[in-house]
Amino acid sequence: MGKEFPKGFLWGASTSAYQVEGAAFEDGKKASQQDIINQDSFEKFGFATAEVASDQYHHFREDIALMKEMGFNTYRFSIAWSRVFPDGDGPVNEKGIQYYRNLIDELLANGMEPIVTLYHYDLPWALVERYGGWLDRRVVKDFEYFARYVINEFKDKVKYWTTVNEQSIIVQYWTQKCYIPEDVLKDNQKRYQINHHMNLAQAIANKLVHELVPGGLAGAPLGYSPIYPLTSDPKDVMAMQNAQALRNDYYTDVYFKGHYNKAAQIYLEEHGLAPVMDEGDLELLADPKAISDFLALNNYASECAKWCGEGEKEIQWSGVNRSGKKGEISGFETHPGFYEMCANPRLDTTDWDWAIDPQGMEYMLRDLYNRYNKPLMITENGLGAYDTLTEDEKVHDGYRIDFLRENIKAMKRAIDKGVEVLAYCPWSAVDVLSTSNGVKKRYGLIYVDRTDSDAKQCARIRKDSFYWYQKVIGSNGVDLD
Ligand code: BG6
């Protein structure tokens, strides 16, 4: 048995609005871009839509009771902009905001600190129709309107605010996370333009938290994978540093240093991918009040990079595995003269080809803390897997327990070496609709009884990992067996 985690450490789990709530068109809510994107994945791949998801909208009290039973003292969730402002701006939807008042009050009444995410991929569809959504700078003003309202509404109840979810992943997988019209698909500069608009939005949200919330803390929840060199060949090590600059530092430098990473920015300029900026943008990013207080990390895997010579074929973006059969990932990024991503031959993967690497958790936490010296929180970490519900209504997910245990141990090793970690919120509290693979790829501690084609009643069933995590939390991280 190890030593305890620091006193007051936050133990919980995460979800996001469109992946868990359902009630997509209820009580005044209008479509978000995820309702449209998921309708399309339903038609193309047979994945569930966001219409019911895990139906947390109707099960939130039950879910909070189950989380309390596990011992949670925090819950990370997001607020659906299109529930609060169905048209993106204009009058508030009273029933929509009331849902979040009820949710937050229920959490507080049960001793759970809410960690709120302002934006998790679900832009109101009205704003896509009006001007193309995140592609257009007008979205920043509308985001400010939404964020100011929500932050003001909950300023006395919510201390921890996470801003825009996973900008790095939005750049890589933009069609899954944003609605991108056909005629824009080939214009890859737009990925970084969207990211720039999101950087302005997260800077504004940080400022609002610092101005409006007494003692409030803000930071971006970033999709982050540490990157290793394939070999100790100095060229591979250099490739690793280049990949690190473009895939990770390009985001974290903005959050903490208030400017874009130089090497990444130069690469983007040379390839015609750099975002167009307006006067005053760089000043906003560098405003001390816009600098993040912490970094919220969504970590699932590590990545691997190797050298790629000039003249090789260029592939700007990572592939994806839609089938859930190991080895069917559709490819790796290749940037001639900079780096090439590749599989790590030393690591096993999930059925969706995500490298399983708990050691990477310690590496990531120590590296980021050394470089930025700011507190870190884990807002996502988990194993996407096929779960089986047995006839006697049990889910024996020992593979998930193994994954989480090794990650918690690695996080503790980092803490024991001086890294300040505030919270551990694995993905996900209950099973949710995956962003890329429907509902059969499950992450939850609580099973939601539904399939891609049949939402059934979304009954909740405690998995083996539920009971295991309960022991972990009950012992403040000591009892991991
Ligand atoms: C993160 C997101 O990218 O990873 C979550 O913040 C997402 O929304 C999670 O669900 C797992 O990814 P996926 O594609 O397996 O659902």
Side-chain angles (χ1 to χ4, degrees):
M1 291 228 183
K3 282 189 289 174
E4 273 196 40
F5 273 68
K7 278 217 161 15
F9 188 80
L10 295 172
W11 294 101
S14 297
T15 61
S16 90
Y18 90 86
Q19 295 177 268
V20 76
E21 285 177 1
F25 303 101
E26 226 173 290
D27 288 343
K29 182 183 172 297
K30 291 190 184 166
S32 84
Q33 62 183 5
Q34 286 303 334
D35 294 309
I36 309 302
I37 293 169
N38 283 277
Q39 181 60 37
D40 188 53
S41 330
F42 170 72
E43 283 156 26
K44 281 199 187 113
F45 308 108
F47 298 154
T49 69
E51 197 164 345
V52 177
S54 306
D55 202 26
Q56 187 166 76
Y57 193 77
H58 299 110
H59 287 255
F60 78 93
R61 290 188 204 281
E62 182 187 350
D63 286 349
I64 292 174
L66 286 165
M67 293 187 229
K68 188 178 183 179
E69 196 181 318
M70 267 188 282
F72 283 23
N73 57 5
T74 192
Y75 175 48
R76 179 223 173 198
F77 60 95
S78 75
I79 293 190
W81 183 346
S82 60
R83 201 177 286 293
V84 180
F85 293 106
D87 293 309
D89 62 357
V92 68
N93 174 26
E94 196 43 47
K95 284 190 177 158
I97 193 69
Q98 190 57 43
Y99 171 69
Y100 295 108
R101 289 188 193 117
N102 295 343
L103 180 75
I104 288 172
D105 287 349
E106 188 75 6
L107 288 171
L108 294 173
N110 284 283
M112 282 174 237
E113 179 92 49
I115 299 178
V116 171
T117 297
L118 285 166
Y119 179 77
H120 201 117
Y121 306 150
D122 52 356
L123 191 74
W125 181 245
L127 299 182
V128 179
E129 287 191 313
R130 202 171 303 159
Y131 48 65
W134 285 105
L135 289 162
D136 190 292
R137 232 188 123 88
R138 277 173 283 181
V139 74
V140 179
K141 272 269 154 258
D142 284 332
F143 175 83
E144 180 173 358
Y145 178 78
F146 159 69
R148 182 183 295 279
Y149 178 88
V150 170
I151 293 168
N152 214 21
E153 173 70 34
F154 296 117
K155 63 173 186 278
D156 298 322
K157 296 183 172 172
V158 175
K159 174 179 173 186
Y160 294 106
W161 295 87
T162 65
T163 55
V164 176
N165 192 63
E166 295 200 344
Q167 291 176 228
S168 55
I169 303 297
I170 293 169
V171 167
Q172 284 283 329
Y173 303 101
W174 66 339
T175 54
Q176 288 168 38
K177 321 292 174 186
C178 262
Y179 180 82
I180 308 296
E182 280 291 317
D183 59 329
V184 177
L185 279 177
K186 288 211 169 93
D187 185 355
N188 285 312
Q189 183 272 349
K190 290 287 190 294
R191 297 181 189 241
Y192 287 99
Q193 195 61 46
I194 287 173
N195 179 59
H196 183 63
H197 298 154
M198 289 182 167
N199 273 329
L200 301 175
Q202 66 79 30
I204 288 169
N206 283 355
K207 282 183 79 173
L208 287 169
V209 170
H210 294 141
E211 282 160 14
L212 300 173
V213 185
L217 298 172
L222 185 64
Y224 194 101
S225 301
I227 302 170
Y228 307 140
L230 180 63
T231 72
S232 55
D233 180 334
K235 281 192 146 187
D236 285 343
V237 178
M238 203 59 242
M240 177 273 278
Q241 197 174 103
N242 290 338
Q244 172 69 22
L246 190 60
R247 296 173 64 103
N248 289 334
D249 304 343
Y250 186 65
Y251 307 92
T252 50
D253 278 3
V254 171
Y255 303 151
F256 293 122
K257 296 181 178 171
H259 62 74
Y260 283 109
N261 176 276
K262 280 261 168 62
Q265 186 64 16
I266 290 168
Y267 175 87
L268 295 179
E269 279 162 11
E270 285 173 354
H271 289 77
L273 295 168
V276 175
M277 301 186 212
D278 278 14
E279 228 184 285
D281 285 1
L282 292 176
E283 286 71 19
L284 169 62
L285 299 184
D287 184 328
K289 278 199 181 154
I291 299 298
S292 292
D293 301 300
F294 59 83
L295 182 63
L297 289 156
N298 297 348
N299 168 254
Y300 292 83
S302 61
E303 307 271 5
C304 196
K306 62 179 178 184
W307 182 248
C308 175
E310 299 285 358
E312 296 289 324
K313 184 169 183 263
E314 181 170 303
I315 306 170
Q316 280 283 352
W317 316 106
S318 308
V320 66
N321 179 328
R322 291 287 203 173
S323 68
K325 288 191 197 122
K326 262 191 204 191
E328 294 199 351
I329 189 158
S330 56
F332 289 97
E333 257 182 281
T334 303
H335 303 259
F338 208 45
Y339 67 87
E340 176 176 345
M341 302 309 289
C342 56
N344 186 333
R346 291 178 178 268
L347 297 176
D348 192 8
T349 68
T350 70
D351 288 324
W352 288 266
D353 292 322
W354 298 25
I356 299 174
D357 179 25
Q359 181 61 66
M361 170 67 80
E362 181 185 356
Y363 176 82
M364 170 185 77
L365 291 170
R366 291 180 58 185
D367 175 48
L368 283 165
Y369 194 69
N370 283 343
R371 288 193 288 127
Y372 297 112
N373 203 27
K374 291 279 183 141
L376 304 165
M377 56 168 84
I378 303 300
T379 38
E380 291 181 32
N381 174 237
L383 184 79
Y386 297 105
D387 287 344
T388 307
L389 183 63
T390 60
E391 273 180 16
D392 58 346
E393 303 233 306
K394 304 250 185 305
V395 180
H396 301 304
D397 58 342
Y399 37 89
R400 182 166 294 109
I401 294 174
D402 291 344
F403 179 94
L404 297 175
R405 179 195 295 115
E406 294 311 313
N407 272 275
I408 292 173
K409 281 187 188 167
M411 176 173 61
K412 185 62 171 30
R413 290 196 295 275
I415 293 174
D416 288 345
K417 291 190 178 73
V419 178
E420 199 180 343
V421 183
L422 303 172
Y424 182 66
C425 293
W427 189 262
S428 47
V430 302
D431 286 335
V432 299
L433 169 63
S434 153
T435 63
S436 48
N437 302 97
V439 298
K440 62 176 83 58
K441 180 195 207 179
R442 292 174 184 268
Y443 288 91
L445 300 154
I446 299 165
Y447 187 87
V448 175
D449 188 17
R450 64 157 298 167
T451 65
D452 276 312
S453 55
D454 183 359
K456 304 193 215 174
Q457 301 300 312
C458 287
R460 275 44 182 167
I461 293 154
R462 297 164 184 79
K463 300 187 191 178
D464 286 357
S465 55
F466 175 105
Y467 298 107
W468 171 82
Y469 197 42
Q470 188 179 47
K471 276 199 309 174
V472 172
I473 299 176
S475 62
N476 196 18
V478 174
D479 187 357
L480 295 170
D481 293 333

